[in-house]
Structures are given as structure tokens and as C-alpha cells.
Amino acid sequence: MSSSAARPRLGLLRAIPSLMRVGFAEAVAYRAEFLVWILATNMPLIMLLLWSAVAKEAPVGRFGEAEFGAYFLATLIVRLVTSSWVIWDLNFEIRQGTIGMRLLRPLHPFVWYAAENLAALPMRAMVALPVAAIALLWLGAGQLNPDPVAWAIVPVALIGAWAMTFCAMAMIGSLGLLWESSLSVFQLWLGLYFVIGGYVLPLELLPDWLYAVVRWLPFRYLLSFPVETMLGLIDRREALGALAVQWGYAALFLAGALAVWRRGLARYSAFGG
């Protein structure tokens, strides 16, 4: 590799810490909105209460009250750690024309968005870690996967889930360069994520034919797969196979996001002072 080709990449690496600092400062500055978003992410707690009431009479599948509690608390933790909001930023900036400011910068806008999203991770962890501690104290360590190999997979699965979420949002958000609004498409995506992503019930409680289908759809790998690994609902062999599928989807969504972005940018025009 020539020194001239390596120089821009070194410049990118040097810029990322600065981008992270800016993103963290924004997360702190908008902490009130951030806390509102966290409080709105309470669906797993509602589902915990509903399914625990159902399981009080008799277990549902292999899920009793304790198992449902562990599942939905793990779901809440994964949701808090792996969420992204790039689609709302993209949609707003495309509609307002302020995306032009990002286009003038030497870094790809997706790098900026990714740094801003990741920089909020410490604030997310401040919320997720107490939930994890409470879950451990309440449910006991017996609900967690005892396999150390599985716990080595969990961080990679969480990063993969975040990467899938970010790239899928970037791809759908980039459609805003071609269409009037991309949010209607995202609403459809979000509905499928809730129903067949493991957000409102464990996927294995779905009918057998539907469970066989959703195991190959991307929504499982956004949320359910890390939860299944944390709780030992799948063995290490299945977890490794699922990890390969998850990262395959992440690469596919990244390629799709870049392709839609390039196509949309060729038709995009903005005016303003």
C-alpha cells in the first residue's frame, strides 16, 4: 500500500475519537430527551407482567414466571444497548436540506452518524447496568447461560445487533433521497421487528411453521438471538451458526445502505444559504 493511499485512512482513524467526543457531548446536552426515550422503551416490562400473569397458572412451553422475567429483562438490556436513531436524523436532515453540511465534510456521513450513536453508549450503559444487576439479584444466576463460550459470543452478538440496526436504518433512511418520506417504510420494518423479532414474546412460542421461517429472517438477529445466547436457550453450536448469519446480514445491510445512498445522492439537490 502506498503512503499516499494510507494517509486518508490514518486521518479517518485520528478523526474518530474527536467524533466520539462530540457525540458524547451531544448525548449529555440532550440528556432530557435521552431519558424520555429510555422511559419509552418499556414494552419488555409490560410484556413481562403480562406473560408472568399467564404463566402463573402453568408454564407456557418451557417458560414459567422466572423464565419470562429473565427473558424480558434481557430483552430490555439488549434493546437499550443496541438501539440507533440514525433514520430520524437522516430523514430530518434530508427534508430540511441540512444534510448538505455533512456532504461538505471529508468523512462519509454514515461515519459521523455511527460515531454519534456509539458515543451515547456510556449513557445507555448507565441505565442498562442497573437493570442487569437488579435482574441478577431478583432472578438469580440460575437463569443465565452457564457456558463461558456462550458469554464470549454475547459481546460480538451485541455489536452485530447494533451494526444490523444501524445499517438497516441507514438503508431505509437513505430512501428519503429518492422518495417523499422513508419513515412509512420504517414503520413497517418496526412492526415486523416487534412481532417476529422476539420483542413481545419468545420466538419459540410461535407456531412451528412460523418459527421455522423467522429463524432465517433478519429480525431475530436484531434482538432475540443475543437474548437466547445470554439465557442459554440455544447451545453454543447454534449460537456460532447464528452469529455467522447475523454478521452476514450486517454486511448485506451495509452494502444496501451504501448502494441506496449513492443512488439517492445522484438525484439529490438542496438550496439554501
Side-chain angles (χ1 to χ4, degrees):
M1 180 186 301
S2 67
S3 58
S4 59
R7 199 170 299 123
R9 295 182 182 180
L10 290 175
L12 173 62
L13 293 176
R14 283 196 294 268
I16 287 178
S18 300
L19 296 179
M20 299 287 285
R21 284 195 293 272
V22 172
F24 181 74
E26 289 183 351
V28 172
Y30 294 101
R31 54 189 179 277
E33 289 85 348
F34 188 76
L35 289 174
V36 169
W37 171 77
I38 288 172
L39 292 174
T41 314
N42 57 8
M43 181 61 76
L45 298 179
I46 296 172
M47 300 313 299
L48 187 158
L49 296 175
L50 289 176
W51 281 105
S52 294
V54 171
K56 190 169 291 183
E57 299 294 331
V60 182
R62 57 173 159 170
F63 289 86
E65 286 185 80
E67 288 76 13
F68 274 122
Y71 180 86
F72 286 110
L73 286 172
T75 298
L76 180 62
I77 294 168
V78 174
R79 170 79 166 148
L80 288 172
V81 172
T82 62
S83 294
S84 175
W85 54 87
V86 63
I87 188 168
W88 289 281
D89 286 345
L90 260 173
N91 187 73
F92 177 80
E93 293 181 7
I94 290 171
R95 298 278 74 81
Q96 297 297 316
T98 53
I99 191 75
M101 294 298 294
R102 294 187 188 268
L103 298 177
L104 294 175
R105 296 166 180 167
L107 295 177
H108 195 289
F110 288 174
V111 178
W112 282 86
Y113 289 127
E116 290 171 356
N117 279 221
L118 286 174
L121 194 58
M123 292 196 66
R124 297 185 200 181
M126 288 172 59
V127 177
L129 290 178
V131 173
I134 292 170
L136 190 61
L137 291 173
W138 179 32
L139 299 167
Q143 296 297 326
L144 301 177
N145 194 339
D147 185 358
V149 175
W151 281 102
I153 295 172
V154 167
V156 187
L158 290 174
I159 296 171
W162 178 85
M164 277 187 68
T165 302
F166 178 85
C167 293
M169 283 189 171
M171 181 173 62
I172 298 173
S174 297
L175 291 174
L177 294 166
L178 300 165
W179 299 345
E180 182 64 26
S181 175
S182 58
L183 290 182
S184 55
V185 179
F186 183 66
Q187 293 301 323
L188 174 61
W189 170 276
L190 204 57
L192 292 172
Y193 167 76
F194 284 156
V195 176
I196 58 176
Y199 198 58
V200 296
L201 82 168
L203 292 182
E204 65 180 58
L205 298 183
L206 293 171
D208 291 343
W209 67 269
L210 182 56
Y211 182 50
V213 173
V214 301
R215 283 165 60 88
W216 293 101
L217 296 178
F219 304 100
R220 177 198 179 202
Y221 303 95
L222 296 167
L223 181 68
S224 181
F225 162 53
V227 173
E228 294 166 8
T229 307
M230 293 166 67
L231 301 182
L233 301 179
I234 54 176
D235 59 33
R236 66 170 66 171
R237 183 176 179 181
E238 187 176 356
L240 287 170
L243 195 67
V245 176
Q246 182 193 52
W247 279 91
Y249 268 123
L252 181 66
F253 288 159
L254 176 60
L258 293 173
V260 175
W261 174 264
R262 282 195 296 268
R263 184 173 177 82
L265 208 58
R267 297 179 51 182
Y268 178 73
S269 60
F271 305 91

PDB file of all heavy atoms in Angstrom, residues 162-183:
ATOM      1  N   TRP A 162     -26.226  -4.243  16.958  1.00  0.00           N
ATOM      2  CA  TRP A 162     -26.186  -2.796  16.750  1.00  0.00           C
ATOM      3  C   TRP A 162     -25.836  -2.474  15.285  1.00  0.00           C
ATOM      4  O   TRP A 162     -26.437  -1.574  14.676  1.00  0.00           O
ATOM      5  CB  TRP A 162     -25.158  -2.136  17.668  1.00  0.00           C
ATOM      6  CG  TRP A 162     -25.075  -0.659  17.422  1.00  0.00           C
ATOM      7  CD1 TRP A 162     -25.863   0.306  17.972  1.00  0.00           C
ATOM      8  CD2 TRP A 162     -24.198   0.011  16.504  1.00  0.00           C
ATOM      9  NE1 TRP A 162     -25.529   1.531  17.464  1.00  0.00           N
ATOM     10  CE2 TRP A 162     -24.515   1.382  16.559  1.00  0.00           C
ATOM     11  CE3 TRP A 162     -23.186  -0.417  15.646  1.00  0.00           C
ATOM     12  CZ2 TRP A 162     -23.845   2.335  15.786  1.00  0.00           C
ATOM     13  CZ3 TRP A 162     -22.522   0.522  14.869  1.00  0.00           C
ATOM     14  CH2 TRP A 162     -22.852   1.892  14.953  1.00  0.00           C
ATOM     15  N   ALA A 163     -24.857  -3.199  14.732  1.00  0.00           N
ATOM     16  CA  ALA A 163     -24.447  -2.946  13.344  1.00  0.00           C
ATOM     17  C   ALA A 163     -25.600  -3.208  12.380  1.00  0.00           C
ATOM     18  O   ALA A 163     -25.834  -2.433  11.432  1.00  0.00           O
ATOM     19  CB  ALA A 163     -23.242  -3.821  12.980  1.00  0.00           C
ATOM     20  N   MET A 164     -26.347  -4.294  12.620  1.00  0.00           N
ATOM     21  CA  MET A 164     -27.510  -4.572  11.767  1.00  0.00           C
ATOM     22  C   MET A 164     -28.541  -3.458  11.879  1.00  0.00           C
ATOM     23  O   MET A 164     -29.092  -2.988  10.878  1.00  0.00           O
ATOM     24  CB  MET A 164     -28.154  -5.893  12.190  1.00  0.00           C
ATOM     25  CG  MET A 164     -27.522  -7.144  11.620  1.00  0.00           C
ATOM     26  SD  MET A 164     -28.519  -8.598  12.030  1.00  0.00           S
ATOM     27  CE  MET A 164     -29.993  -8.299  11.050  1.00  0.00           C
ATOM     28  N   THR A 165     -28.820  -3.047  13.114  1.00  0.00           N
ATOM     29  CA  THR A 165     -29.824  -1.991  13.331  1.00  0.00           C
ATOM     30  C   THR A 165     -29.403  -0.703  12.643  1.00  0.00           C
ATOM     31  O   THR A 165     -30.206  -0.070  11.924  1.00  0.00           O
ATOM     32  CB  THR A 165     -30.001  -1.743  14.839  1.00  0.00           C
ATOM     33  OG1 THR A 165     -30.381  -2.961  15.475  1.00  0.00           O
ATOM     34  CG2 THR A 165     -31.056  -0.690  15.101  1.00  0.00           C
ATOM     35  N   PHE A 166     -28.147  -0.307  12.851  1.00  0.00           N
ATOM     36  CA  PHE A 166     -27.672   0.948  12.266  1.00  0.00           C
ATOM     37  C   PHE A 166     -27.717   0.894  10.736  1.00  0.00           C
ATOM     38  O   PHE A 166     -28.202   1.836  10.087  1.00  0.00           O
ATOM     39  CB  PHE A 166     -26.242   1.226  12.738  1.00  0.00           C
ATOM     40  CG  PHE A 166     -25.642   2.473  12.141  1.00  0.00           C
ATOM     41  CD1 PHE A 166     -25.879   3.708  12.715  1.00  0.00           C
ATOM     42  CD2 PHE A 166     -24.855   2.406  10.999  1.00  0.00           C
ATOM     43  CE1 PHE A 166     -25.354   4.861  12.152  1.00  0.00           C
ATOM     44  CE2 PHE A 166     -24.326   3.551  10.430  1.00  0.00           C
ATOM     45  CZ  PHE A 166     -24.567   4.779  11.008  1.00  0.00           C
ATOM     46  N   CYS A 167     -27.209  -0.187  10.156  1.00  0.00           N
ATOM     47  CA  CYS A 167     -27.140  -0.273   8.685  1.00  0.00           C
ATOM     48  C   CYS A 167     -28.532  -0.371   8.066  1.00  0.00           C
ATOM     49  O   CYS A 167     -28.786   0.214   6.998  1.00  0.00           O
ATOM     50  CB  CYS A 167     -26.282  -1.468   8.265  1.00  0.00           C
ATOM     51  SG  CYS A 167     -24.539  -1.301   8.702  1.00  0.00           S
ATOM     52  N   ALA A 168     -29.443  -1.114   8.724  1.00  0.00           N
ATOM     53  CA  ALA A 168     -30.811  -1.199   8.198  1.00  0.00           C
ATOM     54  C   ALA A 168     -31.486   0.171   8.246  1.00  0.00           C
ATOM     55  O   ALA A 168     -32.165   0.588   7.289  1.00  0.00           O
ATOM     56  CB  ALA A 168     -31.614  -2.218   9.006  1.00  0.00           C
ATOM     57  N   MET A 169     -31.284   0.898   9.361  1.00  0.00           N
ATOM     58  CA  MET A 169     -31.858   2.245   9.456  1.00  0.00           C
ATOM     59  C   MET A 169     -31.240   3.184   8.428  1.00  0.00           C
ATOM     60  O   MET A 169     -31.947   4.014   7.827  1.00  0.00           O
ATOM     61  CB  MET A 169     -31.630   2.800  10.865  1.00  0.00           C
ATOM     62  CG  MET A 169     -32.567   2.245  11.914  1.00  0.00           C
ATOM     63  SD  MET A 169     -32.366   3.171  13.457  1.00  0.00           S
ATOM     64  CE  MET A 169     -33.735   2.513  14.411  1.00  0.00           C
ATOM     65  N   ALA A 170     -29.923   3.075   8.225  1.00  0.00           N
ATOM     66  CA  ALA A 170     -29.255   3.935   7.234  1.00  0.00           C
ATOM     67  C   ALA A 170     -29.775   3.645   5.832  1.00  0.00           C
ATOM     68  O   ALA A 170     -29.953   4.563   5.017  1.00  0.00           O
ATOM     69  CB  ALA A 170     -27.747   3.737   7.312  1.00  0.00           C
ATOM     70  N   MET A 171     -30.023   2.355   5.550  1.00  0.00           N
ATOM     71  CA  MET A 171     -30.529   1.979   4.227  1.00  0.00           C
ATOM     72  C   MET A 171     -31.940   2.523   4.011  1.00  0.00           C
ATOM     73  O   MET A 171     -32.221   3.132   2.974  1.00  0.00           O
ATOM     74  CB  MET A 171     -30.520   0.452   4.088  1.00  0.00           C
ATOM     75  CG  MET A 171     -31.008  -0.067   2.756  1.00  0.00           C
ATOM     76  SD  MET A 171     -30.771  -1.854   2.583  1.00  0.00           S
ATOM     77  CE  MET A 171     -31.816  -2.456   3.917  1.00  0.00           C
ATOM     78  N   ILE A 172     -32.808   2.317   4.995  1.00  0.00           N
ATOM     79  CA  ILE A 172     -34.187   2.803   4.852  1.00  0.00           C
ATOM     80  C   ILE A 172     -34.213   4.331   4.871  1.00  0.00           C
ATOM     81  O   ILE A 172     -34.941   4.966   4.104  1.00  0.00           O
ATOM     82  CB  ILE A 172     -35.076   2.217   5.971  1.00  0.00           C
ATOM     83  CG1 ILE A 172     -35.115   0.690   5.864  1.00  0.00           C
ATOM     84  CG2 ILE A 172     -36.487   2.778   5.883  1.00  0.00           C
ATOM     85  CD1 ILE A 172     -35.825   0.007   7.024  1.00  0.00           C
ATOM     86  N   GLY A 173     -33.394   4.938   5.748  1.00  0.00           N
ATOM     87  CA  GLY A 173     -33.357   6.396   5.809  1.00  0.00           C
ATOM     88  C   GLY A 173     -32.861   7.023   4.519  1.00  0.00           C
ATOM     89  O   GLY A 173     -33.335   8.093   4.110  1.00  0.00           O
ATOM     90  N   SER A 174     -31.928   6.341   3.834  1.00  0.00           N
ATOM     91  CA  SER A 174     -31.402   6.874   2.570  1.00  0.00           C
ATOM     92  C   SER A 174     -32.456   6.875   1.476  1.00  0.00           C
ATOM     93  O   SER A 174     -32.308   7.597   0.473  1.00  0.00           O
ATOM     94  CB  SER A 174     -30.186   6.058   2.128  1.00  0.00           C
ATOM     95  OG  SER A 174     -29.135   6.164   3.070  1.00  0.00           O
ATOM     96  N   LEU A 175     -33.509   6.063   1.655  1.00  0.00           N
ATOM     97  CA  LEU A 175     -34.603   6.097   0.675  1.00  0.00           C
ATOM     98  C   LEU A 175     -35.255   7.473   0.624  1.00  0.00           C
ATOM     99  O   LEU A 175     -35.904   7.827  -0.357  1.00  0.00           O
ATOM    100  CB  LEU A 175     -35.656   5.039   1.036  1.00  0.00           C
ATOM    101  CG  LEU A 175     -35.237   3.573   0.863  1.00  0.00           C
ATOM    102  CD1 LEU A 175     -36.325   2.644   1.402  1.00  0.00           C
ATOM    103  CD2 LEU A 175     -34.959   3.266  -0.603  1.00  0.00           C
ATOM    104  N   GLY A 176     -35.058   8.264   1.711  1.00  0.00           N
ATOM    105  CA  GLY A 176     -35.598   9.615   1.730  1.00  0.00           C
ATOM    106  C   GLY A 176     -35.003  10.506   0.650  1.00  0.00           C
ATOM    107  O   GLY A 176     -35.573  11.539   0.305  1.00  0.00           O
ATOM    108  N   LEU A 177     -33.848  10.114   0.111  1.00  0.00           N
ATOM    109  CA  LEU A 177     -33.256  10.865  -1.006  1.00  0.00           C
ATOM    110  C   LEU A 177     -34.014  10.616  -2.305  1.00  0.00           C
ATOM    111  O   LEU A 177     -33.891  11.378  -3.268  1.00  0.00           O
ATOM    112  CB  LEU A 177     -31.792  10.460  -1.189  1.00  0.00           C
ATOM    113  CG  LEU A 177     -30.837  10.825  -0.039  1.00  0.00           C
ATOM    114  CD1 LEU A 177     -29.524  10.070  -0.181  1.00  0.00           C
ATOM    115  CD2 LEU A 177     -30.594  12.325  -0.015  1.00  0.00           C
ATOM    116  N   LEU A 178     -34.776   9.504  -2.339  1.00  0.00           N
ATOM    117  CA  LEU A 178     -35.481   9.120  -3.562  1.00  0.00           C
ATOM    118  C   LEU A 178     -36.987   9.339  -3.448  1.00  0.00           C
ATOM    119  O   LEU A 178     -37.648   9.632  -4.435  1.00  0.00           O
ATOM    120  CB  LEU A 178     -35.220   7.639  -3.876  1.00  0.00           C
ATOM    121  CG  LEU A 178     -33.755   7.251  -4.092  1.00  0.00           C
ATOM    122  CD1 LEU A 178     -33.590   5.739  -4.031  1.00  0.00           C
ATOM    123  CD2 LEU A 178     -33.273   7.772  -5.439  1.00  0.00           C
ATOM    124  N   TRP A 179     -37.532   9.167  -2.224  1.00  0.00           N
ATOM    125  CA  TRP A 179     -38.969   9.253  -2.009  1.00  0.00           C
ATOM    126  C   TRP A 179     -39.296  10.438  -1.119  1.00  0.00           C
ATOM    127  O   TRP A 179     -38.421  11.066  -0.545  1.00  0.00           O
ATOM    128  CB  TRP A 179     -39.494   7.972  -1.360  1.00  0.00           C
ATOM    129  CG  TRP A 179     -39.273   6.743  -2.200  1.00  0.00           C
ATOM    130  CD1 TRP A 179     -38.942   6.700  -3.529  1.00  0.00           C
ATOM    131  CD2 TRP A 179     -39.341   5.383  -1.763  1.00  0.00           C
ATOM    132  NE1 TRP A 179     -38.819   5.411  -3.947  1.00  0.00           N
ATOM    133  CE2 TRP A 179     -39.051   4.575  -2.902  1.00  0.00           C
ATOM    134  CE3 TRP A 179     -39.628   4.766  -0.558  1.00  0.00           C
ATOM    135  CZ2 TRP A 179     -39.040   3.189  -2.830  1.00  0.00           C
ATOM    136  CZ3 TRP A 179     -39.629   3.389  -0.485  1.00  0.00           C
ATOM    137  CH2 TRP A 179     -39.338   2.608  -1.606  1.00  0.00           C
ATOM    138  N   GLU A 180     -40.588  10.693  -0.974  1.00  0.00           N
ATOM    139  CA  GLU A 180     -41.046  11.804  -0.153  1.00  0.00           C
ATOM    140  C   GLU A 180     -40.659  11.600   1.310  1.00  0.00           C
ATOM    141  O   GLU A 180     -40.204  12.502   1.987  1.00  0.00           O
ATOM    142  CB  GLU A 180     -42.569  11.950  -0.285  1.00  0.00           C
ATOM    143  CG  GLU A 180     -43.166  13.114   0.481  1.00  0.00           C
ATOM    144  CD  GLU A 180     -42.670  14.458  -0.043  1.00  0.00           C
ATOM    145  OE1 GLU A 180     -42.298  14.534  -1.235  1.00  0.00           O
ATOM    146  OE2 GLU A 180     -42.659  15.421   0.741  1.00  0.00           O
ATOM    147  N   SER A 181     -40.868  10.373   1.810  1.00  0.00           N
ATOM    148  CA  SER A 181     -40.524  10.081   3.202  1.00  0.00           C
ATOM    149  C   SER A 181     -40.213   8.605   3.334  1.00  0.00           C
ATOM    150  O   SER A 181     -40.907   7.752   2.778  1.00  0.00           O
ATOM    151  CB  SER A 181     -41.667  10.463   4.135  1.00  0.00           C
ATOM    152  OG  SER A 181     -41.360  10.059   5.457  1.00  0.00           O
ATOM    153  N   SER A 182     -39.171   8.310   4.080  1.00  0.00           N
ATOM    154  CA  SER A 182     -38.796   6.909   4.297  1.00  0.00           C
ATOM    155  C   SER A 182     -39.381   6.363   5.593  1.00  0.00           C
ATOM    156  O   SER A 182     -39.294   5.166   5.853  1.00  0.00           O
ATOM    157  CB  SER A 182     -37.272   6.802   4.358  1.00  0.00           C
ATOM    158  OG  SER A 182     -36.758   7.623   5.400  1.00  0.00           O
ATOM    159  N   LEU A 183     -39.998   7.223   6.398  1.00  0.00           N
ATOM    160  CA  LEU A 183     -40.474   6.778   7.701  1.00  0.00           C
ATOM    161  C   LEU A 183     -41.623   5.784   7.595  1.00  0.00           C
ATOM    162  O   LEU A 183     -41.793   4.932   8.473  1.00  0.00           O
ATOM    163  CB  LEU A 183     -40.904   7.982   8.546  1.00  0.00           C
ATOM    164  CG  LEU A 183     -39.752   8.873   9.026  1.00  0.00           C
ATOM    165  CD1 LEU A 183     -40.286  10.002   9.892  1.00  0.00           C
ATOM    166  CD2 LEU A 183     -38.729   8.055   9.811  1.00  0.00           C
TER     167      LEU A 183
END
